[in-house]
Amino acid sequence: MPSNTTAPPGKKTAKKGRRARLLLLVLVLALVVGIGFGGYWGVSTVRASFPQTTGEVRLDRLSADVEVKRDANGVPQIYADNEADLFRAQGYVQAQDRFYEMDVRRHVTAGRLSEMFGESQVDTDAFLRTLGWRRVAQEEYDKVLSPETKKYLQAYAEGVNAYLKDRDPADVSVEYAALAFTNDYAIEPWTPVDSVAWLKAMAWDLRGNMQDEIDRSLMTSRLSAKQIKELYPEYPYALHQPILGGGAVDESTGKFDPKARASEDEGTTDGDAAGAGTDGSGSSGSSGVQSQLSALSEVLDTVPALLGPNGNGIGSNSWVVSGTYTTSGKPLLANDPHLAPQLPSLWYQMGLHCRSVSATCRYDVAGYTFSGTPGVIIGHNDKVAWGLTNLGADVTDLYLEKIGPDGYLVDGKVKPFTSREETIKVAGGSDRKITVRSTERGPLVSDRSSELENVGRTAPVGNAAPDRGTGYGVSLQWTALQPGKSMDAIFALDRAKDFTTFRAAAKNFEVPSQNLIYADVEGHIGYQSPGKIPQRSKGDGTLPAPGWDSSYRWKGYIPFDQLPYEYDPERGYIVTANQAVIDEKAYPDLLTKDWGYGSRSQRINDLIESKTKDGGKISPDDMRTMQSDNRSEIATLLNPLLLKVDIADPYVREAQKLLEGWDYTQEPDSAAAAYFNAVWRNVLKLAFGDKLPKELRVEGDCINVRPADATGPVDEQNKLVRECGERDPDSAQPDGGDRWYEVVRPLLKQEKSEWWVTPANRTDPATETRDQLLARAMKDARWELTAKLGKDVSSWNWGRLHQLTLKNQTLGTAGPGFVQRLLNRGPWNLGGGEAAVDATGWNAAGGYDVIWVPSMRMVVNVGDWDKSRWVNLTGASGHAFHPHYADQTDTWAKGELYDWAYGKAAVDAAAEDTLVLKP
């Protein structure tokens, strides 16, 4: 699944493209003041919020005793006699461990961060209010979700509120004690809609290709259509297997048949996309519209990325192997979602058990969930196991709108906006009011940027348009802004008993669209693509579409029975790692044009095939080892060429020798991996990064270029200008993901290409060929690592460059260093890398720091559940200084797993604390 924080961004900087930091300056100062009072911040204050995990607690509205058993890592397993008590207890226990995290999350999803953290959050709140996550969640709860689901949500909320009852905020979490110095903030009761709204935030970060839409449009200011196409190559079906080996929609029934084979002439939907700022003809946009999209990109960067940087790196690995090929004779299932590193981890491990499973108490499930969300998201029950990875379906479209004082234009007619007023309450300040305007497609997101209001005045329009004074706007159509049943699906997945009931549950898993893999105790394995995925009348979603032309409307959604699935494939395994689901020739509907490019998935396929050839069997430990595989695919392509480049400089040659005999693994102590990745980063910068518009380059990266609107040779009129990058390092381009592998792959066969051409600088001559550019990249990498790691190449290692620091998601993200040292953990020197199976992601444009990780790992031994294994990124607790705050991270960093007790006897044997909740 499917990254950056669970907490609010800090005060927005004036620089474009900078992701809002989680700098809560006032809160930090309050902490400093508090420390000055000495004993107030002593051990008693810190420990006051630690949960009670033994003995007995009276809990309102329980109908019978509930047991909460916690193991050595503080992971709770809950035992109850009925479903309402089970979820009521789940709410209580999660609030014990993670309520502050839950509270911040609900303020994010509701656009109410300013109520906690003041005026610095107003702009972020305004954008979130414009999207209207909380409004949609309320509508889901009121009109769409089943009565049974609402009963569970209400019980969960009752459990949370039972924990909060009669507790001072400082007794809930130490962060509230700090907040009290500057704010009279009071904790509100938890509501069922608070839980539903979190799924909207999850969907936002897994929304698909919105940033790619913007980036492609912004590229038109610097690059030709041919060049842009080269930077977004087609998916390499011949090299990287899609998830499904076959299948097609049966024309006679309209249903997907997993055993069918498509004819060669079956195609995809209309591939013509409208260009940004066009009249529908596909011509490139003006500088005014480029500025609009740049400003929208800036706004997107200020929204808290709760799961991680949205883009090519966000994904996950999951795979399932049939018992035919396993040592146990039963299926094995692995999953590791790649999300942002957070403290506490995004995931919360737990088990939910009916003491006696029956028609009135049907749950016996364990796995990973989100704090604030009832049920289990990924895991297993007594019959089936499942995992999730991000499907990456294109479920968002941006529309350029011709707007005027009375509305927006569609087919030559002006339609009125749907409008509402929102009031943003601000801690320590006066209320702010905003007006949210929406078209028939969705909210007018451009209203949240003053720049977007102004630039449309100069945008040329190719046909009739309203008053130039308002010009273009930008609206967003997104499946998650329609009420759905994803919360129903979570509970149904937890109860699934076979592939039929599993698929029935998946039918309601509408957003975010995920790859679902499956295994059961009968030995079956399977796959299902769920999700509400649009069918477009025209266009392919790769560029913003003209809102004034109704032919670009969505005409509906792909029916569930036409979505791809697979059951017991002959090959005996299924791998999903964000690659293409199915060959586009075999499938009539467009899922997306922006897949992950399949480097991770193909490596997993190759590892499975190599292990099972000649009758070999895969063990649970083999699955764990595969999760830790850190081989670099781009190194297999590029490294042989680097070794052939003639390097005269002995200082650079010394570094080049590190690559001789390297096996392409990226271990933390590898000097070769450190140098190769630095070379790769510099190849990307020289060949591509310096040719991209400033809106895509990393903030502060300044180069001399021709003005974007210059024509003809460089002269006095078109002299070079200094342009500096504007984008946050985590989302800048080129990011070095496996899309760039496919960009570079064909170019490496060409000694000459326009991409290899770079201008001279003060120390290096211009390059005109591949080998000249590679030589320059190796030189630049040598000097870069000398500055970072020292002159002695034998002392270099990848882990010193590629570090993970876990940051407390409020006070620990910025501010005085001593505060960060108190609340943060790390750094850890990590192996792995971008697009490796061990996906410790980094952005090549921004640096080497780890920005997304396998946020948890699990290997499920189907049928012999107590031999399953798991690990979380951090720990069960969200309380700083608690023993379970980050107690799993060392194990995680080593690629190791803990035993996962599931059966009652195993849970009892592992239990170190038992708490009884009594009516």
Side-chain angles (χ1 to χ4, degrees):
M1 289 183 60
S3 92
N4 223 16
T5 69
T6 56
K11 186 173 182 179
K12 182 179 174 182
T13 72
K15 297 179 180 179
K16 294 182 181 178
R18 181 189 292 262
R19 185 180 301 278
R21 305 297 182 189
L22 301 178
L23 172 57
L24 305 179
L25 182 57
V26 174
L27 203 54
V28 170
L29 293 175
L31 181 58
V32 175
V33 172
I35 291 173
F37 284 97
Y40 185 87
W41 288 98
V43 173
S44 60
T45 301
V46 171
R47 294 182 60 87
S49 59
F50 287 4
Q52 178 182 343
T53 58
T54 61
E56 297 181 352
V57 172
R58 296 286 175 181
L59 195 64
D60 290 346
R61 304 184 69 89
L62 280 184
S63 60
D65 287 0
V66 176
E67 290 178 297
V68 182
K69 298 177 181 290
R70 295 178 185 259
D71 66 11
N73 290 312
V75 175
Q77 305 274 352
I78 300 175
Y79 290 86
D81 290 334
N82 61 75
E83 294 172 353
D85 281 353
L86 189 64
F87 294 113
R88 196 170 284 118
Q90 183 183 17
Y92 184 89
V93 169
Q94 287 193 342
Q96 280 187 303
D97 284 335
R98 299 278 193 96
F99 182 76
Y100 181 74
E101 177 190 25
M102 293 163 58
D103 197 17
V104 173
R105 280 183 181 176
R106 67 167 165 178
H107 279 78
V108 170
T109 57
R112 296 175 56 199
L113 290 169
S114 301
E115 296 179 22
M116 294 185 79
F117 306 114
E119 189 170 351
S120 66
Q121 307 307 310
V122 169
D123 288 344
T124 299
D125 282 348
F127 188 74
L128 293 167
R129 296 284 186 98
T130 299
L131 293 179
W133 294 347
R134 172 75 186 205
R135 291 173 57 87
V136 179
Q138 185 70 58
E139 192 172 355
E140 285 182 0
Y141 184 80
D142 292 341
K143 300 178 181 179
V144 177
L145 296 179
S146 71
E148 182 177 67
T149 293
K150 290 196 281 190
K151 180 181 72 173
Y152 297 154
L153 288 165
Q154 185 61 48
Y156 179 90
E158 290 168 357
V160 174
N161 292 329
Y163 176 72
L164 296 175
K165 184 180 179 182
D166 298 328
R167 277 187 167 82
D168 291 331
D171 294 333
V172 174
S173 185
V174 70
E175 288 91 341
Y176 291 116
L179 196 62
F181 280 99
T182 59
N183 191 350
D184 57 357
Y185 175 76
I187 298 174
E188 296 178 355
W190 191 263
T191 73
V193 180
D194 293 332
S195 296
V196 179
W198 169 242
L199 295 182
K200 299 302 174 187
M202 184 174 71
W204 173 254
D205 283 341
L206 302 176
R207 62 193 180 273
N209 74 336
M210 184 192 298
Q211 193 65 60
D212 287 324
E213 280 190 56
I214 294 171
D215 288 356
R216 270 186 285 251
S217 300
L218 293 172
M219 285 179 184
T220 61
S221 69
R222 288 283 177 195
L223 304 177
S224 68
K226 174 179 175 293
Q227 289 173 316
I228 295 172
K229 185 175 182 180
E230 289 174 347
L231 298 188
Y232 286 89
E234 296 293 321
Y235 184 86
Y237 290 99
L239 292 172
H240 299 158
Q241 301 171 37
I243 295 173
L244 272 63
V249 175
D250 188 318
E251 292 183 2
S252 63
T253 65
K255 295 183 177 181
F256 186 84
D257 181 352
K259 303 297 183 184
R261 287 288 185 267
S263 61
E264 288 299 317
D265 60 353
E266 287 189 71
T268 60
T269 57
D270 179 4
D272 294 330
T278 72
D279 58 6
S281 65
S283 60
S284 63
S286 70
S287 60
V289 174
Q290 303 307 305
S291 297
Q292 283 190 312
L293 294 171
S294 175
L296 177 58
S297 182
E298 177 189 354
V299 171
L300 296 180
D301 262 350
T302 68
V303 176
L306 297 162
L307 306 181
N310 183 265
N312 188 254
I314 288 297
S316 303
N317 301 322
S318 70
W319 65 96
V320 59
V321 182
S322 165
T324 303
Y325 299 106
T326 67
T327 56
S328 66
K330 293 285 188 180
L332 295 174
L333 185 150
N335 197 187
D336 56 286
H338 304 156
L339 306 171
Q342 302 178 29
L343 186 60
S345 166
L346 182 84
W347 297 107
Y348 185 91
Q349 298 158 284
M350 71 187 320
L352 301 171
H353 308 277
C354 292
R355 289 194 181 95
S356 177
V357 177
S358 66
T360 57
C361 196
R362 296 164 290 173
Y363 293 90
D364 190 13
V365 61
Y368 296 84
T369 188
F370 303 124
S371 59
T373 304
V376 167
I377 308 295
I378 297 174
H380 71 82
N381 58 34
D382 62 327
K383 299 294 185 184
V384 310
W386 67 94
L388 303 179
T389 63
N390 194 24
L391 178 63
D394 186 358
V395 296
T396 59
D397 276 343
L398 295 172
Y399 287 87
L400 297 180
E401 305 285 0
K402 294 178 178 178
I403 61 175
D406 299 320
Y408 60 101
L409 202 68
V410 179
D411 295 338
K413 297 180 179 179
V414 176
K415 291 192 169 186
F417 292 109
T418 301
S419 299
R420 69 178 188 271
E421 190 175 81
E422 297 269 356
T423 299
I424 299 172
K425 296 181 179 180
V426 183
S430 48
D431 293 353
R432 306 291 179 85
K433 293 185 181 297
I434 63 168
T435 299
V436 178
R437 300 188 294 175
S438 297
T439 72
E440 61 188 16
R441 287 163 289 279
L444 201 67
V445 290
S446 54
D447 278 352
R448 300 284 73 84
S449 167
S450 58
E451 182 177 0
L452 291 179
E453 293 176 0
N454 295 328
V455 296
R457 299 181 183 183
T458 60
V461 180
N463 56 10
D467 179 7
R468 237 10 129 88
T470 50
Y472 287 123
V474 181
S475 66
L476 168 66
Q477 187 163 14
W478 176 32
T479 55
L481 298 184
Q482 300 296 320
K485 298 181 178 181
S486 293
M487 190 61 77
D488 285 345
I490 291 172
F491 296 110
L493 283 173
D494 289 354
R495 300 190 303 263
K497 298 300 180 186
D498 52 31
F499 195 59
T500 299
T501 51
F502 176 79
R503 290 192 70 211
K507 184 175 183 178
N508 286 331
F509 206 109
E510 296 171 331
V511 292
S513 186
Q514 299 286 289
N515 297 305
L516 286 170
I517 60 167
Y518 166 93
D520 66 34
V521 293
E522 300 299 324
H524 302 293
I525 63 173
Y527 164 86
Q528 177 67 57
S529 290
K532 185 182 285 186
I533 302 172
Q535 293 175 310
R536 295 170 177 83
S537 300
K538 188 177 181 180
D540 63 6
T542 59
L543 288 167
W548 56 86
D549 184 347
S550 65
S551 66
Y552 285 87
R553 285 174 174 162
W554 292 359
K555 61 183 180 182
Y557 303 98
I558 302 174
F560 180 77
D561 59 9
Q562 292 181 17
L563 289 171
Y565 73 95
E566 197 165 41
Y567 188 59
D568 288 338
E570 291 182 8
R571 65 184 178 280
Y573 61 88
I574 301 169
V575 174
T576 84
N578 320 113
Q579 78 272 38
V581 171
I582 187 169
D583 193 318
E584 60 184 8
K585 293 181 179 179
Y587 193 68
D589 282 299
L590 177 68
L591 298 175
T592 186
K593 285 287 189 178
D594 291 304
W595 300 110
Y597 280 76
S599 293
R600 284 180 287 110
S601 62
Q602 191 57 47
R603 177 62 175 166
I604 297 167
N605 275 301
D606 292 344
L607 290 169
I608 293 172
E609 290 173 7
S610 67
K611 189 68 181 178
T612 57
K613 68 180 181 181
D614 302 324
K617 303 286 186 178
I618 293 177
S619 70
D621 198 54
D622 292 328
M623 300 283 275
R624 179 196 63 80
T625 301
M626 291 178 193
Q627 288 180 326
S628 298
D629 182 84
N630 58 31
R631 183 174 181 263
S632 169
E633 181 186 347
I634 189 58
T636 68
L637 300 173
L638 183 57
N639 199 63
L641 291 175
L642 296 176
L643 291 174
K644 292 178 181 179
V645 175
D646 186 16
I647 299 294
D649 185 335
Y651 205 55
V652 180
R653 173 65 183 141
E654 185 181 30
Q656 185 188 33
K657 288 181 180 179
L658 294 173
L659 304 178
E660 296 175 358
W662 181 41
D663 62 0
Y664 311 135
T665 60
Q666 301 175 91
E667 297 295 332
D669 61 357
S670 171
Y675 183 57
F676 175 81
N677 282 315
V679 174
W680 171 236
R681 166 174 149 85
N682 281 279
V683 167
L684 291 170
K685 175 177 170 57
L686 291 169
F688 308 104
D690 289 349
K691 300 177 176 71
L692 296 176
K694 64 182 183 299
E695 295 88 354
L696 273 69
R697 299 200 316 273
V698 69
E699 182 182 4
D701 174 26
C702 300
I703 57 176
N704 294 321
V705 297
R706 296 176 63 191
D709 56 355
T711 59
V714 176
D715 54 27
E716 286 302 314
Q717 291 183 326
N718 290 326
K719 62 183 178 180
L720 298 179
V721 297
R722 190 75 165 162
E723 281 191 354
C724 296
E726 298 178 348
R727 187 164 288 183
D728 183 88
D730 289 356
S731 57
Q733 293 293 334
D735 62 19
D738 62 358
R739 171 165 69 89
W740 293 98
Y741 297 4
E742 298 310 313
V743 171
V744 169
R745 189 189 299 274
L747 292 176
L748 292 178
K749 300 175 183 178
Q750 304 172 32
E751 180 61 25
K752 290 196 172 184
S753 164
E754 62 183 336
W755 297 110
W756 300 135
V757 177
T758 65
N761 60 28
R762 289 184 301 172
T763 59
D764 296 294
T767 67
E768 297 181 354
T769 69
R770 177 196 65 201
D771 288 352
Q772 288 173 352
L773 185 139
L774 295 183
R776 187 160 156 183
M778 283 194 281
K779 176 184 176 182
D780 290 350
R782 177 27 155 150
W783 285 106
E784 181 186 1
L785 294 199
T786 297
K788 291 179 181 294
L789 302 179
K791 293 172 60 176
D792 183 2
V793 300
S794 67
S795 71
W796 292 357
N797 68 67
W798 177 224
R800 286 174 61 201
L801 277 179
H802 191 54
Q803 292 186 326
L804 167 68
T805 298
L806 294 172
K807 297 183 178 181
N808 179 283
Q809 290 306 299
T810 53
L811 296 175
T813 57
F818 78 92
V819 175
Q820 295 187 40
R821 288 191 294 272
L822 285 172
L823 299 180
N824 297 343
R825 299 294 180 268
W828 283 265
N829 295 349
L830 298 185
E834 171 59 47
V837 179
D838 184 14
T840 53
W842 55 287
N843 185 304
Y848 303 98
D849 287 343
V850 176
I851 60 173
W852 60 76
V853 293
S855 56
M856 62 79 159
R857 297 186 183 101
M858 73 177 193
V859 174
V860 181
N861 198 323
V862 176
D864 197 353
W865 305 114
D866 292 329
K867 292 185 179 179
S868 300
R869 312 206 62 191
W870 63 356
V871 70
N872 205 350
L873 172 64
T874 61
S877 179
H879 298 287
F881 312 109
H882 192 279
H884 301 312
Y885 187 49
D887 57 326
Q888 298 188 44
T889 310
D890 285 342
T891 299
W892 172 92
K894 296 173 186 175
E896 298 174 354
L897 303 173
Y898 295 103
D899 291 337
W900 179 352
Y902 170 75
K904 184 66 164 57
V907 170
D908 286 345
E912 294 203 350
D913 290 340
T914 299
L915 175 69
V916 179
L917 305 178
K918 302 184 75 67

